[in-house]
Amino acid sequence: MVLRTSATLPRWALFVCRCTNGRPPSRNSIMSVDSSPSDTPAQRLSHIGLAWELTSVTGWGVYGTNVLRQLAVGGGPAPVLLKQPARFTPDPLDAVIFAPLLAQQQQLFAMVSQGGRVTPANLDFPVLKTLFPGFKTITAGRVFFGKPDIGVIFFENTRITPEEVSASRAYARIVAGSTWNRDVLRAHGVQGVELVLQGIDPVLFHPMPRRPFRSGTFTVFSGGKLEARKGQDIVLAAFRRFHARHPDSVLVTAWQNAWPEKTHDVAHSGLVQGVPETRADGTLDIGRWAVTNGLPAGSVLDMGWVAHKDMPRVLAACDAAVFASRNESGTNLPAMECMAMGLPTVVSANTGHLDLIGTVHEAPRVFALRDQRPVRHAPAGWGTDGWGASSVEELESVLERLYTDRDEARARGRRAAEFMCTLTWSGQVKALVDVVAGAIHP
């Protein structure tokens, strides 16, 4: 049946339908939204739901926050937030923009959880759902069903079973976050796969004057949650050699991991000893771990959890950035943001990073680690097609080049910033809306 709502609820709430026995209601129980003729399919969309957890400290959360912001202010389909944010610290202006959307989310959740029991519901507009291994979605994605559902996926494991391919058919479209992800899905027979890269916020991330935190230092930034896949063991091993020759160098890291128990594989390569201890507050003691691995105290500074809005200040203190990932399912949002700031950036030449590197016919905009070796310690049962382990020796050599040839480093940084102007969130969210519209009006 159709929920009866008060006049104070937004119009979209009138199109929520209840279902019984934990199953989505039949499609013929969903009310239709009248729309006037438009020039493009995207203009016919009135709303887009987001079964997406917003946070200020993870890639998924930052992606969702920017989708929500662009939809809220872009004049296109209105966003409907379906999941309560967590660890979310918007800036004051975003707080104003998001306030009514957060209130709507609470109202909608109350509508489907009457009597203390959550009942799945259909919505009369498309819903974007974040997908995880097996094409499964978060809790909100199992409660709210769109017309239709659109999946958004970033994955590392290239072993996709027939059962998972079958599960993918629940989505009218699946948005892949990198060319590598798209190609792997299509090779396994997944249908309706479209490519939409992430974007950058040029208000936050753009070339700006450097603001060193200490005079006379050469400061290298490295980000990403600590795990073997992100290659921090490679970075630490190469920086240890580099620092021995250049004691004026400092490694600034944003390597915290919300799941400390998942950091243990970082030592499997043998490039580093042990894993960081977990402090009483749940954060990883990266500085002490670096000392254990032969670096002087103070040569590695971990920033802890950095809110996204505060990251430009950290990057403005740096001379270069390094990302030696063995795999990137997407295009590595922190690397993109470093590039947008004109920071000379080093990336491993594998998987999602390939979208950032460009072709041999273009002037280089990053320093690509081309020596990619087979990955020896992947999770049991995983496929690792396209993964690669960067050479410590090559990264050490690139760091030396960054240190000695500042002119070339700055030139690549400028080209990187120019390239990132083509990948702003406003443009990428428009591309995402076009995919959604194409699923409804092919």
Side-chain angles (χ1 to χ4, degrees):
M1 65 177 183
V2 179
L3 284 179
R4 301 300 177 185
T5 62
S6 71
T8 59
L9 285 177
R11 183 170 181 262
W12 53 260
L14 298 174
F15 309 124
V16 179
C17 299
R18 298 299 293 271
C19 63
T20 58
N21 300 325
R23 297 189 302 273
S26 62
R27 288 299 181 188
N28 60 16
S29 71
I30 304 176
M31 297 178 62
S32 297
V33 180
D34 294 331
S35 60
S36 58
S38 302
D39 293 333
T40 66
Q43 291 173 326
R44 299 174 200 163
L45 285 175
S46 61
H47 298 82
I48 293 180
L50 297 178
W52 204 314
E53 184 175 79
L54 308 187
T55 79
S56 299
V57 295
T58 69
W60 268 118
V62 170
Y63 187 177
T65 300
N66 281 282
V67 171
L68 187 69
R69 180 191 299 114
Q70 293 300 324
L71 291 177
V73 303
V80 179
L81 188 62
L82 302 174
K83 177 75 170 70
Q84 184 174 3
R87 303 180 73 174
F88 188 51
T89 55
D91 64 43
L93 183 57
D94 274 352
V96 173
I97 296 170
F98 295 155
L101 303 174
L102 296 173
Q104 286 181 2
Q105 185 274 326
Q106 291 296 307
Q107 290 174 316
L108 184 54
F109 181 75
M111 293 169 68
V112 299
S113 59
Q114 295 176 2
R117 180 172 174 266
V118 175
T119 305
N122 269 1
L123 301 177
D124 200 46
F125 42 83
V127 172
L128 288 167
K129 297 186 174 183
T130 54
L131 299 183
F132 299 105
F135 297 91
K136 297 176 182 177
T137 187
I138 61 174
T139 303
R142 300 193 296 272
V143 173
F144 297 104
F145 295 86
K147 186 184 179 184
D149 286 340
I150 310 292
V152 181
I153 194 166
F154 296 84
F155 65 91
E156 296 86 28
N157 180 8
T158 61
R159 181 178 177 271
I160 301 175
T161 66
E163 293 76 17
E164 290 170 336
V165 173
S166 179
S168 73
R169 299 189 185 113
Y171 306 95
R173 294 287 188 277
I174 293 180
V175 178
S178 68
T179 301
W180 175 72
N181 259 192
R182 180 199 65 187
D183 292 348
V184 170
L185 289 173
R186 289 179 175 177
H188 282 83
V190 177
Q191 300 297 308
V193 182
E194 301 288 349
L195 172 66
V196 179
L197 302 183
Q198 296 179 89
I200 57 96
D201 182 352
V203 173
L204 291 177
F205 299 97
H206 57 268
M208 61 180 66
R210 184 169 176 263
R211 294 175 60 189
F213 70 94
R214 187 186 303 159
S215 63
T217 61
F218 179 77
T219 306
V220 179
F221 173 79
S222 183
K225 66 180 184 291
L226 185 70
E227 58 181 345
R229 182 178 66 84
K230 289 288 189 177
Q232 289 96 341
D233 54 328
I234 299 169
V235 174
L236 199 66
F239 183 77
R240 180 175 57 219
R241 297 182 182 187
F242 175 76
H243 183 80
R245 291 193 308 278
H246 302 288
D248 58 330
S249 60
V250 176
L251 178 64
V252 170
T253 66
W255 286 352
Q256 292 299 316
N257 190 328
W259 303 273
E261 69 279 2
K262 296 184 178 181
T263 64
H264 295 287
D265 63 353
V266 77
H268 290 173
S269 66
L271 297 175
V272 295
Q273 298 177 20
V275 296
E277 296 178 1
T278 302
R279 301 187 184 95
D281 63 0
T283 60
L284 301 173
D285 194 341
I286 302 293
R288 178 178 291 184
W289 181 56
V291 170
T292 300
N293 278 276
L295 280 152
S299 61
V300 175
L301 303 178
D302 188 71
M303 298 292 98
W305 288 109
V306 182
H308 189 245
K309 59 185 173 59
D310 296 328
M311 189 56 74
R313 172 64 184 96
V314 174
L315 298 181
C318 299
D319 298 286
V322 174
F323 301 89
S325 305
R326 292 175 171 88
N327 168 280
E328 284 292 340
S329 52
T331 42
N332 192 345
L333 188 55
M336 295 174 70
E337 291 166 346
C338 289
M339 293 170 66
M341 293 198 51
L343 199 60
T345 301
V346 184
V347 297
S348 51
N350 63 52
T351 57
H353 277 165
L354 298 176
D355 286 316
L356 303 180
I357 292 172
T359 70
V360 294
H361 305 293
E362 299 173 281
R365 52 180 172 255
V366 297
F367 291 82
L369 300 175
R370 300 285 184 181
D371 185 359
Q372 296 294 302
R373 304 173 183 185
V375 173
R376 295 180 298 166
H377 301 284
W382 276 35
T384 57
D385 298 341
W387 288 44
S390 297
S391 158
V392 171
E393 292 75 19
E394 183 182 18
L395 178 51
E396 179 190 6
S397 174
V398 170
L399 288 172
E400 188 68 29
R401 185 176 179 186
L402 288 165
Y403 187 89
T404 57
D405 192 347
R406 307 292 176 94
D407 289 341
E408 174 62 16
R410 283 191 288 267
R412 295 198 190 193
R414 285 193 295 271
R415 290 193 286 268
E418 292 169 0
F419 173 67
M420 281 299 131
C421 289
T422 70
L423 289 174
T424 63
W425 278 118
S426 60
Q428 298 314 102
V429 173
K430 181 181 182 299
L432 185 62
V433 170
D434 287 344
V435 169
V436 175
I440 301 172
H441 306 286

